[in-house]
Amino acid sequence: IKRASCPNTMQAGSAHWRRQLGLDRGQERGRSGRLVVAALLAGVFALGVCWYTYTYVWYETPGLVDTHVHTSESDGDRSAEEQIERARRLGLRSLWITDHDMIRPLRRTQKLQELGRRKDVSVGFGVEITVGWEGKEHHLLGYFPDSAWAGGRLSVGMLALQAACEKVKESRERRNIALVHWLNAALGGGVEESGVYFESADKAAQFKIVDVADVARWAVQNAGLAEPTSLGRPHFRKYLLAQRGVRDALVFGPRDGDGAAVVTPAGEVVYGSAAVGLEGTLVTALLHSSTLAGLGIAFQPLPIAKAIDLIDHAGGRAVLAHAPTLGQDWQERFGPLVAPLKTIGLWGIEAYSSEIDEENHVLIRALAEEVGLAMTGGSDNHGTLKRYALLGSMQRAGSADYGQLDEWARYGESRSKAIHSGYADL
């Protein structure tokens, strides 16, 4: 019995003396180290959750369907593959790629559709055509059913639309040459107010001539541009900020204004009615559409009636994009002109968008119901080049929320499926 109990007594004594002599301190330190490592890992995990939330949940709040998205094949800075993957992470069920003035080669379109199926994202294809409408440059969206991309060749109607879009792109190239002449004059001392366009006097003094080829090369390497012939104003903006030190506030300005601004003695840039009577330097936003139109810098858009006809003959549905960008008086000036477009084939109007606030949404809704147009919703996302247009969100980043946005989440998917299938009566 004593021999049987002896080991227990010896173990108890051994543990007592080990504690007295500090022989277990290494083990205690090991336990403490493991606790520290666990705490660090927990912290890293928490940071990862915060980053994911910021990037994919808060930064780009998803809806279910986004019918207005751009890629690096026109004037965005994410590839189509990246946009599809991002849509998957956001939980979008349907994504419509509507690049400017281009119809992709058939095989490329089919490849991206297949990628969407593997990612469980329904990928549709359309186009955003630059159109002329009553002396104003605007955008018309065209959406095409999946049947348009089936088989081994594009239809005759789609080929005609593709050719017309190519002519618009060629015209854009000529526009870009005129654009750099204006930039070099405005920023290189050709106008009295040149210095106010820069972040600092040093940047103004260091200004170097802008060249179209240099901008295109830079945009391919740094702004995700895939096709140099698709070089657009968003790429010029990014180049001017990064390479020439131009003030962002003086590149585009508010889209619904006329581009005129006052730079106060304190350096503040003020647009619109708030600028009236202010002391300071009067300037125009470098790349604002009204600025360029006033200088005669423009490419030749398709007449809107011709674009609607081409979309219709290609088997698509024509949708008027972001009407408020026509100007603050868009409803009075262009509202009455929408009904005639309906009679020649206009199918819908964009009613939910990063370019449309609650007040304008209400006006667009009333117009759509009066004329009999379908309402669509799209972010107008250009990757990171249009900071307020977030993928999957029909709301301008930082703007007030409004209840009607929930409607698109409820019926957007059914509308998207209808377009995919070619069903027009919604």
Side-chain angles (χ1 to χ4, degrees):
I1 293 173
K2 286 182 181 180
R3 278 193 296 270
S5 63
C6 187
N8 291 333
T9 303
M10 291 178 65
Q11 289 171 9
S14 175
H16 168 75
W17 285 110
R18 286 178 66 85
R19 285 194 298 271
Q20 291 296 316
L21 295 173
L23 298 178
D24 280 343
R25 289 175 185 168
Q27 293 181 4
E28 291 173 4
R29 284 195 297 270
R31 283 193 295 271
S32 299
R34 287 192 292 274
L35 289 173
V36 169
V37 171
L40 288 172
L41 290 174
V44 171
F45 177 78
L47 287 172
V49 170
C50 291
W51 172 84
Y52 184 90
T53 301
Y54 174 80
T55 303
Y56 296 116
V57 179
W58 179 82
Y59 183 66
E60 292 185 318
T61 305
L64 297 176
V65 174
D66 194 335
T67 65
H68 189 165
V69 175
H70 297 279
T71 77
S72 58
E73 289 171 67
S74 69
D75 60 346
D77 65 352
R78 292 183 194 140
S79 69
E81 288 83 356
E82 288 171 327
Q83 291 288 51
I84 293 170
E85 171 59 19
R86 201 168 185 88
R88 182 193 69 78
R89 293 183 181 182
L90 284 166
L92 296 184
R93 295 178 183 172
S94 187
L95 181 76
W96 286 80
I97 296 174
T98 54
D99 279 323
H100 289 283
D101 305 314
M102 67 171 295
I103 300 296
R104 281 174 176 76
L106 179 60
R107 298 306 178 201
R108 169 71 172 153
T109 301
Q110 292 172 336
K111 179 180 177 181
L112 291 172
Q113 282 183 316
E114 176 57 31
L115 176 64
R117 284 189 284 270
R118 294 201 304 270
K119 300 283 186 180
D120 199 26
V121 177
S122 177
V123 179
F125 288 89
V127 61
E128 187 171 20
I129 303 175
T130 308
V131 296
W133 190 22
E134 296 297 316
K136 185 82 171 179
E137 182 184 301
H138 196 55
H139 292 152
L140 183 76
L141 292 159
Y143 296 101
F144 305 99
D146 291 345
S147 58
W149 319 113
R153 65 179 63 184
L154 294 174
S155 69
V156 172
M158 189 67 79
L159 288 171
L161 177 59
Q162 188 180 52
C165 287
E166 283 298 318
K167 289 183 179 180
V168 174
K169 288 179 69 173
E170 291 170 6
S171 177
R172 179 184 285 110
E173 292 182 60
R174 293 192 294 271
R175 186 277 312 266
N176 286 344
I177 293 172
L179 177 59
V180 297
H181 286 305
W182 153 241
L183 292 175
N184 288 327
L187 299 175
V191 295
E192 183 178 352
E193 61 273 12
S194 292
V196 301
Y197 283 109
F198 294 91
E199 291 286 356
S200 67
D202 287 343
K203 293 293 184 182
Q206 295 166 7
F207 175 74
K208 296 179 180 179
I209 295 296
V210 177
D211 177 79
V212 174
D214 288 341
V215 177
R217 281 192 294 269
W218 184 89
V220 167
Q221 295 171 2
N222 301 281
L225 178 66
E227 173 50 61
T229 59
S230 294
L231 184 69
R233 287 183 301 157
H235 300 113
F236 275 97
R237 169 190 165 269
K238 200 163 186 178
Y239 176 87
L240 291 173
L241 300 185
Q243 297 297 107
R244 295 296 184 267
V246 172
R247 299 181 64 181
D248 197 8
L250 290 171
V251 176
F252 277 124
R255 192 166 183 177
D256 59 356
D258 60 3
V262 169
V263 181
T264 69
E268 182 184 5
V269 180
V270 183
Y271 286 95
S273 58
V276 176
L278 281 182
E279 180 185 354
T281 303
L282 180 64
V283 297
T284 56
L286 291 166
L287 300 182
H288 194 283
S289 58
S290 294
T291 300
L292 301 183
L295 294 167
I297 300 173
F299 57 93
Q300 297 299 314
L302 277 174
I304 192 168
K306 177 65 173 176
I308 291 173
D309 183 64
L310 284 166
I311 291 169
D312 182 60
H313 279 84
R317 305 285 174 257
V319 173
L320 189 66
H322 42 62
T325 63
L326 286 162
Q328 294 179 343
D329 62 345
W330 75 267
Q331 184 194 23
E332 294 80 11
R333 182 178 172 188
F334 291 94
L337 305 178
V338 172
L341 295 181
K342 172 69 162 59
T343 65
I344 62 172
L346 184 68
W347 176 78
I349 186 168
E350 200 168 46
Y352 311 87
S353 168
S354 63
E355 301 281 8
I356 299 172
D357 59 15
E358 181 175 14
E359 179 181 355
N360 280 299
H361 170 81
V362 171
L363 297 175
I364 292 170
R365 171 188 288 276
L367 180 61
E369 292 174 351
E370 175 188 348
V371 176
L373 296 173
M375 292 189 292
T376 66
S379 66
D380 198 12
N381 176 261
H382 286 64
T384 65
L385 296 181
K386 212 171 188 178
R387 294 172 297 175
Y388 60 82
L390 309 181
L391 187 66
S393 177
M394 308 303 111
Q395 178 183 349
R396 192 182 187 94
S399 66
D401 192 6
Y402 57 95
Q404 296 95 324
L405 289 169
D406 294 336
E407 297 170 343
W408 181 247
R410 289 197 297 272
Y411 75 78
E413 187 174 14
S414 62
R415 180 135 301 169
S416 175
K417 287 180 177 178
I419 301 173
H420 272 291
S421 65
Y423 179 63
D425 299 324
L426 297 178

